[in-house]
Amino acid sequence: MGDVLEQFFILTGLLVCLACLAKCVRFSRCILLNYWTVLPKPFLRSMGQWAVITGAGDGIGKAYSFELAKRGLNVVLISRTLEKLEAIATEIERTTGRSVKIIQADFTKDDIYEHIKEKLTGLEIGILVNNVGMLPNLLPSHFLNAPDEIQSLIHCNITSVVKMTQLILKHMESRRKGLILNISSGIALFPWPLYSMYSASKAFVCTFSKALQEEYKAKEVIIQVLTPYAVSTAMTKYLNTNVITKTADEFVKESLNYVTIGGEICGCLAHEILAGFLSLIPAWAFYSGAFQRLLLTHYVAYLKLNTKVK
């Protein structure tokens, strides 16, 4: 019996060491790519002539639209507000010289995809950024007290990723090249009370993306899910930026350094470090009543003090 227990503890120790080593390798890789850009300049352009970005009217989607155009791709902007799309398209064409197409679509609906499919017909799409998403309430709240926008949230955060991937992945598979970036959230990395619907919807994006990467990596299609924490956008009411809270432009530029890694990545080094720290908190502590009270008081006070839109 003693020998069995000894072997068990040795095996457990080895597994813990391997897990720690894997985290160290991931951090090292992020540090290397953060300070030494090894992504060849033509790489993104080599995926195809066009990039499609959902939720392109603001925030992270708008930042990806400009950055991918600067890197030589024509862009298709998809969002709900036509006026924003037209203004962004004009600015991209003026500053980068790239071609821009716009598609007005409301991703809280589920009857929009035939229209999008028609508009994308004939385009050599090399990159898809599934960015569109909604957060019903920035302030933490109990499920029954949250705005009753369940179906809209599911369509926007889940259906959009599945349907847009279905539309575009089949052509990437036949061409044996392509890049899909699915924007999830750090809140998706474990169940997050007081953000239950948002956390669960973004967890779906994580699981779906990582499963697809395993299915299609042999077809030379990169599918990556990004799990950022705080990014200052309209959805986060323009949180004040700092070491952790990034501007959309900062986040996007850094995230593109990591696209060849595939799989799951936070998108920036600061958020990788934060995710590593949070993973060390025991579940019993994170889900304790004391922590929830802390979140409802101190975190809410922080948000109210540091957001520009009240």
Side-chain angles (χ1 to χ4, degrees):
M1 185 66 178
D3 290 341
V4 173
L5 281 174
E6 183 180 355
Q7 290 176 3
F8 172 76
F9 285 124
I10 290 172
L11 179 60
T12 301
L14 286 172
L15 290 174
V16 171
C17 289
L18 285 173
C20 292
L21 179 62
K23 283 193 174 184
C24 289
V25 169
R26 177 166 166 161
F27 279 130
S28 300
R29 186 169 52 178
C30 290
I31 291 170
L32 174 67
L33 293 174
N34 187 55
Y35 292 106
W36 178 34
T37 304
V38 295
L39 185 69
K41 283 189 176 181
F43 176 81
L44 295 174
R45 178 64 183 80
S46 72
M47 294 291 100
Q49 294 181 10
W50 290 84
V52 175
I53 303 98
T54 68
D58 212 333
I60 291 175
K62 178 180 176 181
Y64 271 114
S65 302
F66 273 93
E67 189 62 27
L68 291 173
K70 289 175 185 175
R71 299 195 187 200
L73 287 104
N74 302 320
V75 291
V76 180
L77 315 179
I78 311 179
S79 191
R80 178 169 53 186
T81 308
L82 183 60
E83 293 77 11
K84 284 186 178 181
L85 292 177
E86 290 174 338
I88 294 167
T90 300
E91 184 67 11
I92 289 175
E93 290 174 337
R94 184 184 67 80
T95 58
T96 69
R98 307 309 305 176
S99 297
V100 182
K101 293 182 180 293
I102 61 175
I103 302 174
Q104 184 182 19
D106 182 354
F107 284 100
T108 64
K109 314 296 183 186
D110 65 351
D111 58 353
I112 60 174
Y113 296 98
E114 281 302 317
H115 171 66
I116 292 173
K117 182 180 178 180
E118 290 174 10
K119 293 290 186 178
L120 297 179
T121 299
L123 301 183
E124 183 190 67
I125 299 169
I127 298 176
L128 167 63
V129 182
N130 278 315
N131 162 74
V132 70
M134 63 179 290
L135 173 62
N137 193 356
L138 178 61
L139 297 177
S141 62
H142 290 90
F143 172 67
L144 293 178
N145 297 331
D148 187 13
E149 299 177 296
I150 294 174
Q151 199 59 60
S152 294
L153 184 143
I154 290 171
H155 284 323
C156 192
N157 291 6
I158 295 177
T159 306
S160 67
V161 176
V162 176
K163 287 288 194 178
M164 290 302 300
T165 299
Q166 186 182 44
L167 283 179
I168 292 172
L169 179 58
K170 62 181 69 175
H171 302 293
M172 292 180 172
E173 180 188 23
S174 64
R175 293 171 51 240
R176 297 188 69 84
K177 65 170 64 175
L179 170 65
I180 297 176
L181 300 177
N182 292 331
I183 312 301
S184 179
S185 169
I187 283 180
L189 297 179
F190 45 89
W192 200 288
L194 305 179
Y195 288 101
S196 54
M197 280 298 297
Y198 184 74
S199 173
S201 68
K202 290 301 187 177
F204 173 90
V205 176
C206 278
T207 302
F208 177 70
S209 302
K210 290 189 285 186
L212 281 189
Q213 173 67 113
E214 295 305 314
E215 288 183 32
Y216 288 93
K217 65 182 180 182
K219 302 295 179 67
E220 300 180 41
V221 177
I222 299 171
I223 300 170
Q224 183 178 78
V225 59
L226 293 100
T227 55
Y229 284 91
V231 179
S232 181
T233 65
M235 191 169 74
T236 59
K237 299 189 185 298
Y238 299 104
L239 277 166
N240 294 335
T241 57
N242 51 44
V243 174
I244 298 296
T245 304
K246 302 293 182 180
T247 67
D249 289 340
E250 289 171 341
F251 171 77
V252 165
K253 287 176 183 176
E254 186 173 345
S255 73
L256 290 174
N257 291 336
Y258 309 130
V259 293
T260 55
I261 295 176
E264 176 196 312
I265 194 85
C266 286
C268 70
L269 182 59
H271 293 184
E272 284 289 338
I273 294 170
L274 177 59
F277 172 75
L278 292 174
S279 70
L280 298 176
I281 301 175
W284 63 264
F286 187 80
Y287 297 125
S288 67
F291 183 85
Q292 299 307 306
R293 286 191 295 274
L294 178 70
L295 189 61
L296 279 170
T297 54
H298 292 78
Y299 181 61
V300 169
Y302 170 81
L303 289 177
K304 289 181 177 179
L305 184 65
N306 287 277
T307 51
K308 295 183 174 65
V309 179
K310 306 302 180 184

